[in-house]
mmCIF file of all heavy atoms in Angstrom:
data_model
loop_
_atom_site.group_PDB
_atom_site.id
_atom_site.type_symbol
_atom_site.label_atom_id
_atom_site.label_comp_id
_atom_site.label_asym_id
_atom_site.label_seq_id
_atom_site.Cartn_x
_atom_site.Cartn_y
_atom_site.Cartn_z
ATOM 1 N N TYR W 18 8.991 24.525 -0.614
ATOM 2 C CA TYR W 18 10.368 24.254 -0.216
ATOM 3 C C TYR W 18 10.540 24.673 1.240
ATOM 4 O O TYR W 18 10.199 25.809 1.614
ATOM 5 C CB TYR W 18 11.351 25.039 -1.082
ATOM 6 C CG TYR W 18 11.291 24.717 -2.561
ATOM 7 C CD1 TYR W 18 10.598 25.552 -3.444
ATOM 8 C CD2 TYR W 18 11.921 23.596 -3.075
ATOM 9 C CE1 TYR W 18 10.543 25.266 -4.799
ATOM 10 C CE2 TYR W 18 11.865 23.306 -4.434
ATOM 11 C CZ TYR W 18 11.175 24.139 -5.286
ATOM 12 O OH TYR W 18 11.118 23.854 -6.630
ATOM 13 N N ASP W 34 18.915 30.423 -4.356
ATOM 14 C CA ASP W 34 18.933 30.691 -5.802
ATOM 15 C C ASP W 34 18.592 29.440 -6.596
ATOM 16 O O ASP W 34 17.920 29.505 -7.637
ATOM 17 C CB ASP W 34 20.305 31.220 -6.232
ATOM 18 C CG ASP W 34 20.526 32.664 -5.807
ATOM 19 O OD1 ASP W 34 19.539 33.325 -5.426
ATOM 20 O OD2 ASP W 34 21.682 33.126 -5.863
ATOM 21 N N GLU W 46 6.466 27.954 -3.152
ATOM 22 C CA GLU W 46 6.782 28.886 -2.073
ATOM 23 C C GLU W 46 8.030 28.382 -1.365
ATOM 24 O O GLU W 46 8.316 27.181 -1.364
ATOM 25 C CB GLU W 46 5.610 28.992 -1.094
ATOM 26 C CG GLU W 46 5.225 27.656 -0.469
ATOM 27 C CD GLU W 46 3.966 27.735 0.384
ATOM 28 O OE1 GLU W 46 3.629 28.837 0.841
ATOM 29 O OE2 GLU W 46 3.328 26.675 0.592
ATOM 30 N N PRO W 76 10.718 32.613 12.133
ATOM 31 C CA PRO W 76 11.651 32.397 13.247
ATOM 32 C C PRO W 76 11.623 30.952 13.742
ATOM 33 O O PRO W 76 10.568 30.334 13.859
ATOM 34 C CB PRO W 76 11.125 33.355 14.326
ATOM 35 C CG PRO W 76 10.311 34.363 13.596
ATOM 36 C CD PRO W 76 9.706 33.637 12.437
ATOM 37 N N ALA W 84 13.129 20.975 14.420
ATOM 38 C CA ALA W 84 12.188 22.025 14.822
ATOM 39 C C ALA W 84 11.970 22.999 13.672
ATOM 40 O O ALA W 84 10.838 23.402 13.380
ATOM 41 C CB ALA W 84 12.699 22.759 16.058
ATOM 42 N N ALA W 89 8.586 25.259 9.313
ATOM 43 C CA ALA W 89 8.423 25.623 7.905
ATOM 44 C C ALA W 89 7.283 24.847 7.253
ATOM 45 O O ALA W 89 6.532 25.392 6.440
ATOM 46 C CB ALA W 89 9.738 25.386 7.153
ATOM 47 N N VAL W 98 5.884 18.747 -0.333
ATOM 48 C CA VAL W 98 6.860 19.410 0.536
ATOM 49 C C VAL W 98 8.252 18.936 0.156
ATOM 50 O O VAL W 98 8.533 17.729 0.177
ATOM 51 C CB VAL W 98 6.583 19.092 2.023
ATOM 52 C CG1 VAL W 98 7.666 19.709 2.908
ATOM 53 C CG2 VAL W 98 5.205 19.591 2.436
ATOM 54 N N SER W 105 23.008 22.620 0.463
ATOM 55 C CA SER W 105 22.731 21.909 -0.782
ATOM 56 C C SER W 105 22.353 22.870 -1.899
ATOM 57 O O SER W 105 21.842 23.968 -1.658
ATOM 58 C CB SER W 105 21.601 20.897 -0.573
ATOM 59 O OG SER W 105 20.396 21.562 -0.229
ATOM 60 N N LEU W 107 20.169 22.517 -5.431
ATOM 61 C CA LEU W 107 19.337 21.641 -6.243
ATOM 62 C C LEU W 107 19.565 21.910 -7.723
ATOM 63 O O LEU W 107 19.607 23.077 -8.137
ATOM 64 C CB LEU W 107 17.859 21.857 -5.922
ATOM 65 C CG LEU W 107 17.396 21.680 -4.477
ATOM 66 C CD1 LEU W 107 15.873 21.760 -4.415
ATOM 67 C CD2 LEU W 107 17.891 20.378 -3.888
ATOM 68 N N SER W 137 37.852 23.658 -1.671
ATOM 69 C CA SER W 137 39.229 23.617 -1.195
ATOM 70 C C SER W 137 39.746 22.177 -1.219
ATOM 71 O O SER W 137 38.983 21.222 -1.396
ATOM 72 C CB SER W 137 39.312 24.165 0.228
ATOM 73 O OG SER W 137 38.654 23.287 1.136
ATOM 74 N N THR W 156 26.065 3.527 1.058
ATOM 75 C CA THR W 156 24.608 3.539 0.920
ATOM 76 C C THR W 156 24.215 4.215 -0.382
ATOM 77 O O THR W 156 24.920 5.106 -0.867
ATOM 78 C CB THR W 156 23.954 4.274 2.096
ATOM 79 O OG1 THR W 156 24.528 5.581 2.213
ATOM 80 C CG2 THR W 156 24.174 3.529 3.393
ATOM 81 N N PHE W 186 8.489 15.602 11.613
ATOM 82 C CA PHE W 186 9.793 15.237 12.179
ATOM 83 C C PHE W 186 9.727 15.186 13.710
ATOM 84 O O PHE W 186 9.066 16.004 14.347
ATOM 85 C CB PHE W 186 10.865 16.233 11.738
ATOM 86 C CG PHE W 186 11.214 16.143 10.274
ATOM 87 C CD1 PHE W 186 10.521 16.900 9.338
ATOM 88 C CD2 PHE W 186 12.216 15.297 9.837
ATOM 89 C CE1 PHE W 186 10.829 16.821 7.984
ATOM 90 C CE2 PHE W 186 12.532 15.201 8.487
ATOM 91 C CZ PHE W 186 11.835 15.964 7.562
ATOM 92 N N ASP W 195 15.753 12.062 9.513
ATOM 93 C CA ASP W 195 15.252 11.592 8.219
ATOM 94 C C ASP W 195 14.944 10.095 8.279
ATOM 95 O O ASP W 195 13.874 9.652 7.856
ATOM 96 C CB ASP W 195 16.280 11.842 7.112
ATOM 97 C CG ASP W 195 16.722 13.279 7.042
ATOM 98 O OD1 ASP W 195 17.587 13.656 7.859
ATOM 99 O OD2 ASP W 195 16.220 14.015 6.181
ATOM 100 N N ARG W 201 8.746 5.705 10.159
ATOM 101 C CA ARG W 201 7.318 5.848 10.473
ATOM 102 C C ARG W 201 6.456 5.858 9.213
ATOM 103 O O ARG W 201 5.353 5.304 9.197
ATOM 104 C CB ARG W 201 7.093 7.125 11.286
ATOM 105 C CG ARG W 201 7.458 6.952 12.762
ATOM 106 C CD ARG W 201 7.122 8.205 13.561
ATOM 107 N NE ARG W 201 8.108 9.256 13.376
ATOM 108 C CZ ARG W 201 7.834 10.485 12.994
ATOM 109 N NH1 ARG W 201 6.587 10.834 12.728
ATOM 110 N NH2 ARG W 201 8.791 11.383 12.869
ATOM 111 N N THR W 208 5.516 4.262 0.944
ATOM 112 C CA THR W 208 6.744 3.856 0.268
ATOM 113 C C THR W 208 7.736 5.008 0.276
ATOM 114 O O THR W 208 7.375 6.154 0.016
ATOM 115 C CB THR W 208 6.459 3.449 -1.195
ATOM 116 O OG1 THR W 208 5.570 2.338 -1.210
ATOM 117 C CG2 THR W 208 7.745 3.082 -1.923
ATOM 118 N N ALA W 229 34.687 17.047 12.522
ATOM 119 C CA ALA W 229 34.717 16.155 13.686
ATOM 120 C C ALA W 229 33.435 16.282 14.504
ATOM 121 O O ALA W 229 32.855 15.273 14.924
ATOM 122 C CB ALA W 229 35.932 16.472 14.559
ATOM 123 N N VAL W 264 41.286 -0.917 17.303
ATOM 124 C CA VAL W 264 42.510 -0.117 17.282
ATOM 125 C C VAL W 264 42.940 0.250 18.696
ATOM 126 O O VAL W 264 44.127 0.154 19.050
ATOM 127 C CB VAL W 264 42.313 1.143 16.424
ATOM 128 C CG1 VAL W 264 43.478 2.113 16.606
ATOM 129 C CG2 VAL W 264 42.170 0.770 14.949
ATOM 130 N N ALA W 281 59.736 -8.445 32.138
ATOM 131 C CA ALA W 281 59.714 -9.893 32.318
ATOM 132 C C ALA W 281 59.997 -10.649 31.031
ATOM 133 O O ALA W 281 59.758 -11.861 30.962
ATOM 134 C CB ALA W 281 58.351 -10.320 32.876
ATOM 135 N N TRP W 284 57.021 -10.555 25.375
ATOM 136 C CA TRP W 284 56.832 -9.584 24.291
ATOM 137 C C TRP W 284 55.586 -9.814 23.444
ATOM 138 O O TRP W 284 55.219 -8.957 22.629
ATOM 139 C CB TRP W 284 58.063 -9.607 23.361
ATOM 140 C CG TRP W 284 59.317 -9.160 24.034
ATOM 141 C CD1 TRP W 284 60.269 -9.941 24.602
ATOM 142 C CD2 TRP W 284 59.726 -7.809 24.216
ATOM 143 N NE1 TRP W 284 61.275 -9.181 25.139
ATOM 144 C CE2 TRP W 284 60.966 -7.849 24.904
ATOM 145 C CE3 TRP W 284 59.190 -6.564 23.875
ATOM 146 C CZ2 TRP W 284 61.662 -6.698 25.265
ATOM 147 C CZ3 TRP W 284 59.888 -5.427 24.224
ATOM 148 C CH2 TRP W 284 61.115 -5.493 24.910
ATOM 149 N N LEU W 339 24.827 3.624 24.189
ATOM 150 C CA LEU W 339 24.749 3.538 25.656
ATOM 151 C C LEU W 339 23.779 4.559 26.239
ATOM 152 O O LEU W 339 23.840 4.876 27.430
ATOM 153 C CB LEU W 339 26.144 3.738 26.255
ATOM 154 C CG LEU W 339 27.176 2.668 25.902
ATOM 155 C CD1 LEU W 339 28.559 3.062 26.407
ATOM 156 C CD2 LEU W 339 26.758 1.318 26.479
#
Side-chain angles (χ1 to χ4, degrees):
Y18 299 100
D34 286 346
E46 58 186 338
V98 176
S105 63
L107 303 187
S137 68
T156 54
F186 290 90
D195 306 80
R201 281 184 282 126
T208 299
V264 169
W284 296 96
L339 296 173

